[in-house]
Amino acid sequence: MGAIDKLYSLKGKRIWVAGHRGMVGSALVRRLADVDCQILTAERAAVDLRRQAQVEDWLAEHRPDVVFVAAATVGGILANDTRPADFLYDNLAIEANIIHGAWRVGVEKLLFLGSSCIYPREAPQPIPEGALLTGALEPTNEWYAIAKIAGLKLCEAYRRQHGARFISAMPSNLYGPGDNYDLETSHVIPALIAKTHAAKIGNQRSVRVWGSGRPRREFLYVDDLSDALVWLIERYDDPEHVNIGTGKDITIHELAETVADVVGFRGRLQFDPSMPDGTFRKLLDVTRLDACGWRAKTPLRAGLALAYVDFLQRLEAGQLAEDARA
Ligand code: GFB
């Protein structure tokens, strides 16, 4: 990581959190509430981020100094695998419109958010930033991965050609408040929370866990991520993207046991080999970030307990379907 010569302070800046209703965007809004800045948001009904003219008009009117690109079409392994056109087209359009539009209106700093699935399926573990484009991608999410690779390359290209101070960060699998609990489209943690809770309430004997339970994943609590993003935008200004993770991973089997423990479910785990495992392992090498002094602080179990509280509150408020199938 390059030397941190001068802090780029967010104080007094007009900051656009693109995707502020999503899990990452809402965590960023929570984190930026501690900063003396002006947060800008664009409602979905007013601006479709896939439409270039709408994005450019909004940017010309609101003129942010800083942009966080937290808007994306996202989902778990099944959604990625079954909706390749949405994951590729939506994400290419969103990032191209925002990055190009931000450059046109002279945004001072922009942070683009990718994903650990940008790396080759057979990348060395833990995965260093330099593993990008050294091998074939994991087929279940190559569409999303290609869009995210294009996004980080756009930031690099605008920096190289125009001197734009655009940076990119690649987090590991995220979870936390504001997650999507829909079983068809969610990631593994919200799915297991919803299914395990339904099994507990329904006195069921088992919970169905997709795949073999053997794949390993690294999970980052979303408020740790937003803290890292604010930290990076104020300090980092190099072309290379930066991994953000905890440096630790666990198997899906261990994860399912931990979720069961947090939720208080005493039944069995039933693995379903007809569902895809996806990448065997994707543990990020976080040396670059670690060397600069930023570290994740929320242990997985504590984060899962907070996520379960969020799930219960939203269930209580009628914001979630109550019949998550176990
Ligand atoms: O979280 P997840 O959908 O995403 O799945 P990926 C992680 C692992 O958990 C896979 C298993 O091995 C799943 O088979 N799993 C077990 C489950 N039970 C369930 C369940 O009920 N629901 C889900 N969803 N998984 C995504 C990519 O990959 O990760 C995206 O598709 C993105 O592009 C994201 O990069 C972070 O880690 O496999």
Side-chain angles (χ1 to χ4, degrees):
M1 189 155 170
I4 303 162
D5 310 327
K6 215 161 119 239
L7 192 79
Y8 174 84
S9 172
L10 293 182
K11 202 165 170 218
K13 300 291 182 189
R14 294 167 57 78
I15 304 176
W16 181 26
V17 178
H20 70 289
R21 296 245 176 235
M23 177 171 71
V24 173
S26 47
L28 266 169
V29 170
R30 281 198 292 283
R31 175 63 184 82
L32 290 170
D34 296 339
V35 177
D36 180 14
C37 65
Q38 190 184 342
I39 302 171
L40 308 177
T41 56
E43 290 307 327
R44 193 179 286 230
V47 188
D48 181 341
L49 297 174
R50 295 168 301 181
R51 301 287 162 262
Q52 186 176 26
Q54 293 185 26
V55 174
E56 293 193 352
D57 287 351
W58 189 90
L59 279 164
E61 189 185 335
H62 294 87
R63 302 229 154 227
D65 303 307
V66 176
V67 176
F68 286 97
V69 188
T73 289
V74 299
I77 192 166
L78 187 65
N80 267 266
D81 207 17
T82 51
R83 289 170 43 214
D86 293 352
F87 279 80
L88 185 53
Y89 172 79
D90 287 4
N91 289 311
L92 285 173
I94 292 167
E95 68 206 20
N97 293 340
I98 297 177
I99 291 168
H100 181 73
W103 166 70
R104 278 184 48 149
V105 298
V107 162
E108 292 169 7
K109 276 205 101 173
L110 174 147
L111 189 150
F112 172 72
L113 207 65
S115 160
S116 58
C117 69
I118 59 163
Y119 295 113
R121 180 183 162 83
E122 308 294 343
Q125 304 287 330
I127 314 172
E129 285 86 352
L132 183 69
L133 296 174
T134 56
L137 297 165
E138 154 63 31
T140 55
N141 58 33
E142 67 174 306
W143 319 94
Y144 182 72
I146 283 174
K148 289 297 181 182
I149 293 169
L152 80 85
K153 285 293 173 190
L154 267 178
C155 289
E156 228 179 288
Y158 278 78
R159 172 182 290 271
R160 184 184 285 211
Q161 189 177 335
H162 299 299
R165 298 171 75 188
F166 293 176
I167 61 172
S168 300
M170 301 298 129
S172 54
N173 287 32
L174 302 169
Y175 71 102
D179 216 334
N180 165 24
Y181 292 96
D182 176 285
L183 296 184
E184 296 292 316
T185 56
S186 66
H187 289 98
V188 61
I189 287 184
L192 288 178
I193 288 176
K195 291 198 277 192
T196 307
H197 176 78
K200 181 177 96 167
I201 298 301
N203 288 318
Q204 290 159 21
R205 288 204 185 148
S206 63
V207 163
R208 182 167 155 253
V209 182
W210 295 356
S212 65
R214 288 198 302 271
R216 303 183 70 87
R217 293 289 184 275
E218 175 186 12
F219 296 104
L220 179 66
Y221 189 63
V222 71
D223 287 276
D224 283 352
L225 172 73
S226 61
D227 189 59
L229 298 180
V230 168
W231 195 94
L232 276 174
I233 206 144
E234 289 195 320
R235 293 169 179 81
Y236 187 74
D237 197 12
D238 279 346
E240 297 86 28
H241 61 279
V242 183
N243 288 342
I244 307 179
T246 62
K248 289 183 212 122
D249 64 355
I250 62 167
T251 65
I252 297 302
H253 191 152
E254 288 162 337
L255 172 71
E257 285 176 341
T258 312
V259 170
D261 202 35
V262 166
V263 169
F265 172 67
R266 308 270 163 254
R268 277 187 318 114
L269 302 175
Q270 191 194 346
F271 293 91
D272 178 355
S274 73
M275 297 304 280
D277 270 343
T279 311
F280 181 68
R281 194 176 186 200
K282 45 179 172 179
L283 175 64
L284 292 177
D285 182 337
V286 290
T287 312
R288 195 177 267 183
L289 194 54
D290 200 66
C292 294
W294 187 90
R295 239 160 254 183
K297 26 178 213 294
T298 312
L300 181 61
R301 215 197 134 81
L304 289 173
L306 292 167
Y308 186 42
V309 168
D310 172 65
F311 169 82
L312 291 174
Q313 283 171 348
R314 287 170 58 199
L315 192 63
E316 178 86 2
Q319 293 166 355
L320 305 172
E322 302 212 15
D323 61 345
R325 283 150 295 150

